């Protein structure tokens, strides 16, 4: 089993990334900037996350679930977590740490989940 690596989408609040890493220093959480995701289409973002084996974390509720459905018809996804923009940063961090502690990367293949659940 492989530990989860998170990949932030370009729309994800940077405070969630930075604070999650600060709270749990062993978490591998790559920023959108490091991955070069700015200006990429959802399909490109999903492909980069899959290539880099990162569970994509996004706020994009409008288009990401549709694009995810299209993506997994032809490719394998490392999974997507959609965090509500209305969720507090502290609750988002707690949710991500819980997911990281309680599951493995293989459990997320071609899975999508919204937080709050």
């Amino acid at each position: 089993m492989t530990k989860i690596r998170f990949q932030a989408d370009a729309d994800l609040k940077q405070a969630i990334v930075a604070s999650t890493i600060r709270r749990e220093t062993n978490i591998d959480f790559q920023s959108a900037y490091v991955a070069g995701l700015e200006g990429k289409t959802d399909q490109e973002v999903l492909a980069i996350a899959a290539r880099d084996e990162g569970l994509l974390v996004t706020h994009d509720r409008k288009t990401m679930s549709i694009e995810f459905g299209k993506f997994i018809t032809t490719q394998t996804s490392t999974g997507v977590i959609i965090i509500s923009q209305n969720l507090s940063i502290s609750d988002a961090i707690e949710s991500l740490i819980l997911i990281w502690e309680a599951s493995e990367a293989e459990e997320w293949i071609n899975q999508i989940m919204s937080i709050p659940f």
Side-chain angles (χ1 to χ4, degrees), residues 15-24 27 29 83 87-99:
I16 293 173
V17 178
S19 298
T20 301
I21 293 168
R22 194 173 317 115
R23 282 271 319 278
E24 180 53 69
I27 285 182
F29 202 152
I83 297 180
L87 190 67
S88 71
I89 290 174
S90 62
D91 285 346
I93 293 163
E94 290 299 323
S95 296
L96 291 171
I97 290 172
L98 177 62
I99 288 166

Side-chain angles (χ1 to χ4, degrees), residues 46-92:
L46 288 163
I48 291 167
R51 179 197 70 205
D52 295 346
E53 299 179 348
L55 176 55
L56 185 65
V57 183
T58 184
H59 288 303
D60 183 1
R61 214 175 265 290
K62 286 186 180 173
T63 63
M64 189 55 79
S65 58
I66 294 164
E67 294 302 320
F68 174 79
K70 293 176 188 174
F71 185 84
I72 64 172
T73 63
T74 60
Q75 299 177 64
T76 300
S77 169
T78 43
V80 175
I81 296 173
I82 301 172
I83 297 180
S84 170
Q85 295 253 11
N86 299 325
L87 190 67
S88 71
I89 290 174
S90 62
D91 285 346

